[in-house]
C-alpha cells in the first residue's frame, strides 16, 4: 500500500472513531458545548476529505482560534443521529452538510434551526435558484454550499466510430441507444434508474415533458413514462445497477458509451483515469425543454446546537469565494458562486461549462413531508411500466392515488 493511501486510510479510521465518540457521548476530552470546538459532519470521499483537512479547515481554525472536528456521516444516517441526540437532550453536532434531496425529513421532524434571519448572508453571486432548495414553507433552513446537477458523459471515440453525436432530445437519445445496441449486440446507453431510492432522472423525464412528480398521472407524466417504456429495451442492463461509483467504472471500462453522472466523475475518469475521450455536456431536452435535478449538499445547523454562532461563521467561510475556488480546483466540485469559475484548470473547463448549463436548468426535488412515499410510488410505477410492460395510464392512475393519499395524511397531521 502506498504511503498516501495508508495515511488516508488512517484518517478514515480516526474519523470513524471520532464519530463514535461524538454520537455516543463516550470518551474524555473537552466538554461538548466548548465554544472553542466546532463539530461538523459531512459525507466525503477520502480524496475530498484530504483537501478539506489540508486546504480548507486550517485557515478557519487559525482565523477564529478554534478547533474544527469534521467527521464522516452518510446522508442517510443524519436523521437517525440527530433524532437520537434530540431524544437524549444532548446535541453534540454544530453543523451538517446534507444532501439537498434529503432535507425535508430534517425540517419536518424539527431537527434543524430556522436560519431565515441569516438569509442576507447568502452571497449575491449565488447561481440561479439554488437558495430555494433550502426553503420550506417560506422559511430558510439550509444555505447553499455544494451544488450539483448531473451532466451526461459520452465516449467520443465510439460515437465517431458509429457516426453518432451527443443526443440533444428524446428522439435522438432513442436512436443513439438503438444504433449502439444494434452495432454491439448489447445496450451501451445507461441511465441511473434503480427503481429504488432517489428518482433524480425519473423526475427529469417527467418535468421535461411538463409533468409533475407529485401528480404523476398528468399529461406530461404519461408522455414521459410512455417514452421510457419504449426506450427501456434499448438500454444497457447496467441502468438498474448504476450509482455514482459504478457509472464511473462503466464509462472507464467501455462497458457503456453514454451515461449521466455527477460532475466529480470527470476527475476520476478523465483526470485520474486518463480517459480523455470521455466528453460531457448538459444533456438532452424533453418536449418542454432541458430540466435537470438539483443535487449536492446544503449546510444546516442542528436544532439546539451549542455553538450556533460559530456554525454560522463557518457557513460564511465555506460560502466564500476563496474556499469555493479551492474546492472547485482541488476537488473538481461545481461552485454555487458564479464568480468562482476563473480558477478552473484548462482540462476542467468543458466539464464545468456543461455543469453550469445543467445547474441553470436544475430544479430541486419537491420539499414536501410526504416525499418519501411519493418517491416509492414513482419507482414502483417505473418498474411496472418499463420492466413489466404494464399499461401506462392505468399504472400511473394507481400510483397517483397513493401519492394523493400520502398527501392527505400529511396535511391531516
Amino acid at each position: 500500500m502506498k504511503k498516501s493511501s495508508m495515511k488516508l486510510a488512517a484518517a478514515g479510521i480516526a474519523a470513524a472513531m471520532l464519530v463514535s465518540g461524538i454520537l455516543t457521548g463516550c470518551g474524555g476530552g473537552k466538554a461538548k458545548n466548548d465554544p472553542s470546538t466546532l463539530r461538523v459532519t459531512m459525507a466525503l470521499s477520502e480524496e475530498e476529505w484530504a483537501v478539506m483537512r489540508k486546504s480548507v479547515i486550517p485557515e478557519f481554525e487559525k482565523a477564529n482560534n478554534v478547533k474544527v472536528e469534521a467527521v464522516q456521516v452518510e446522508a442517510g444516517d443524519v436523521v437517525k443521529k440527530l433524532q437520537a441526540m434530540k431524544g437524549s437532550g444532548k446535541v453534540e453536532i454544530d453543523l451538517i452538510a446534507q444532501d439537498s434531496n434529503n432535507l425535508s425529513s430534517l425540517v419536518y421532524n424539527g431537527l434543524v434551526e430556522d436560519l431565515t434571519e441569516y438569509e442576507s448572508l447568502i452571497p449575491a453571486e449565488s447561481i440561479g435558484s439554488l437558495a430555494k432548495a433550502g426553503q420550506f414553507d417560506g422559511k430558510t433552513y439550509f444555505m447553499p454550499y455544494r451544488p450539483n446537477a448531473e451532466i451526461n458523459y459520452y465516449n467520443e471515440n465510439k460515437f465517431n466510430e458509429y457516426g453518432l453525436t451527443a443526443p440533444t432530445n428524446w428522439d435522438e437519445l432513442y436512436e443513439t441507444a438503438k444504433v449502439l445496441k444494434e452495432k454491439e449486440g448489447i445496450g451501451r446507453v445507461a441511465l441511473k434508474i434503480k427503481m429504488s431510492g432517489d428518482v433524480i432522472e425519473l423526475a427529469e423525464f417527467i418535468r421535461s415533458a411538463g409533468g409533475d412528480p407529485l401528480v404523476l398521472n398528468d399529461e406530461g407524466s404519461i408522455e414521459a413514462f410512455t417514452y421510457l417504456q419504449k426506450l427501456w429495451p434499448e438500454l444497457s442492463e447496467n441502468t438498474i445497477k448504476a450509482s455514482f461509483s459504478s457509472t464511473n467504472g462503466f464509462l472507464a471500462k467501455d462497458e457503456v458509451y453514454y451515461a449521466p453522472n455527477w460532475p466529480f466523475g470527470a476527475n476520476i475518469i478523465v483526470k485520474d483515469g486518463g480517459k480523455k475521450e470521455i466528453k460531457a455536456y448538459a444533456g438532452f431536452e424533453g418536449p418542454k425543454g432541458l430540466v435537470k435535478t438539483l443535487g449536492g449538499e446544503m449546510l444546516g445547523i442542528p436544532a439546539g446546537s451549542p455553538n450556533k454562532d460559530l456554525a454560522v461563521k463557518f457557513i460564511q467561510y465555506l460560502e466564500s469565494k476563496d474556499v469555493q475556488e479551492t474546492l472547485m480546483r482541488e476537488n473538481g466540485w461545481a461552485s454555487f458562486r458564479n464568480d468562482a469559475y476563473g480558477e478552473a484548470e484548462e482540462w476542467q473547463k468543458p466539464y464545468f461549462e456543461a455543469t453550469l448549463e445543467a445547474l441553470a436548468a436544475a430544479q430541486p426535488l419537491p420539499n414536501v413531508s410526504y416525499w418519501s412515499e411519493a418517491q416509492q410510488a414513482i419507482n414502483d410505477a417505473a418498474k411496472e411500466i418499463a420492466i413489466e410492460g404494464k399499461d401506462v395510464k392505468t399504472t400511473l392512475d394507481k400510483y397517483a392515488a397513493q401519492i394523493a393519499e400520502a398527501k392527505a395524511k400529511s396535511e391531516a397531521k
Side-chain angles (χ1 to χ4, degrees), residues 174-313:
Y174 176 77
E175 288 303 317
T176 297
K178 190 170 185 288
V179 167
L180 289 174
K181 187 169 184 179
E182 288 175 350
K183 296 290 187 182
E184 300 244 335
I186 60 173
R188 295 296 192 184
V189 171
L191 302 180
K192 289 166 69 182
I193 300 178
K194 295 177 290 185
M195 310 297 184
S196 64
D198 65 57
V199 292
I200 287 173
E201 288 173 28
L202 288 173
E204 289 174 5
F205 275 110
I206 293 169
R207 285 168 160 175
S208 65
D212 184 343
L214 293 178
V215 175
L216 200 60
N217 62 346
D218 52 15
E219 289 185 9
S221 298
I222 292 170
E223 186 173 5
F225 278 91
T226 299
Y227 172 79
L228 185 61
Q229 191 176 63
K230 173 186 173 182
L231 177 66
W232 195 263
E234 311 301 333
L235 297 177
S236 165
E237 293 181 356
N238 288 322
T239 290
I240 59 174
K241 299 183 290 184
S243 64
F244 170 71
S245 297
S246 64
T247 298
N248 290 332
F250 299 152
L251 290 163
K253 297 173 183 177
D254 292 341
E255 293 180 23
V256 301
Y257 305 152
Y258 184 95
N261 208 5
W262 302 108
F264 183 62
N267 276 42
I268 297 169
I269 301 168
V270 182
K271 181 182 179 182
D272 298 338
K275 295 281 288 184
K276 296 181 180 180
E277 70 271 27
I278 303 297
K279 308 299 183 181
Y281 71 119
F284 49 83
E285 295 184 352
K288 300 298 183 181
L290 177 67
V291 177
K292 306 295 283 189
T293 300
L294 181 65
E297 292 181 322
M298 305 283 284
L299 298 172
I301 299 176
S305 161
N307 293 306
K308 182 177 178 179
D309 291 342
L310 188 57
V312 171
K313 282 188 177 181

Side-chain angles (χ1 to χ4, degrees), residues 22-23 31-42 60 66-71 82 85 90-97 111-113 115 141-142 299-315 318:
I22 289 176
L23 299 181
K32 299 306 180 186
N33 62 351
D34 184 351
S36 67
T37 301
L38 183 72
R39 293 171 174 83
V40 180
T41 70
M42 299 178 176
F60 181 81
V66 298
K67 173 66 177 176
V68 176
E69 293 180 351
V71 298
L82 294 186
M85 288 184 181
K90 296 180 180 179
V91 178
E92 298 169 350
I93 297 176
D94 300 305
L95 182 69
I96 58 173
L111 299 176
V112 288
E113 294 279 354
L115 301 180
Y141 291 88
F142 294 90
L299 298 172
I301 299 176
S305 161
N307 293 306
K308 182 177 178 179
D309 291 342
L310 188 57
V312 171
K313 282 188 177 181
F314 196 53
I315 289 175
L318 291 176

Side-chain angles (χ1 to χ4, degrees), residues 104-105 108 136 214 365-374 407 410:
S104 59
S105 57
Y108 291 115
F136 293 76
L214 293 178
L365 292 175
N367 288 338
V368 294
S369 58
Y370 57 96
W371 179 239
S372 61
E373 291 90 344
K407 179 183 179 181
S410 173

Side-chain angles (χ1 to χ4, degrees), residues 111-184:
L111 299 176
V112 288
E113 294 279 354
D114 179 354
L115 301 180
T116 305
E117 64 180 298
Y118 303 106
E119 259 184 29
S120 61
L121 299 179
I122 298 175
E125 296 81 4
S126 180
I127 293 171
S129 59
L130 294 178
K132 292 182 180 178
Q135 295 175 353
F136 293 76
D137 302 324
K139 297 181 179 180
T140 294
Y141 291 88
F142 294 90
M143 309 281 252
Y145 155 59
R146 180 189 177 184
N148 233 346
E150 288 189 337
I151 55 178
N152 292 34
Y153 295 86
Y154 63 98
N155 189 314
E156 187 177 55
N157 290 350
K158 292 294 185 180
F159 270 51
N160 288 342
E161 180 180 342
Y162 296 123
L164 298 169
T165 56
T168 62
N169 55 47
W170 283 9
D171 289 340
E172 292 179 8
L173 176 65
Y174 176 77
E175 288 303 317
T176 297
K178 190 170 185 288
V179 167
L180 289 174
K181 187 169 184 179
E182 288 175 350
K183 296 290 187 182
E184 300 244 335

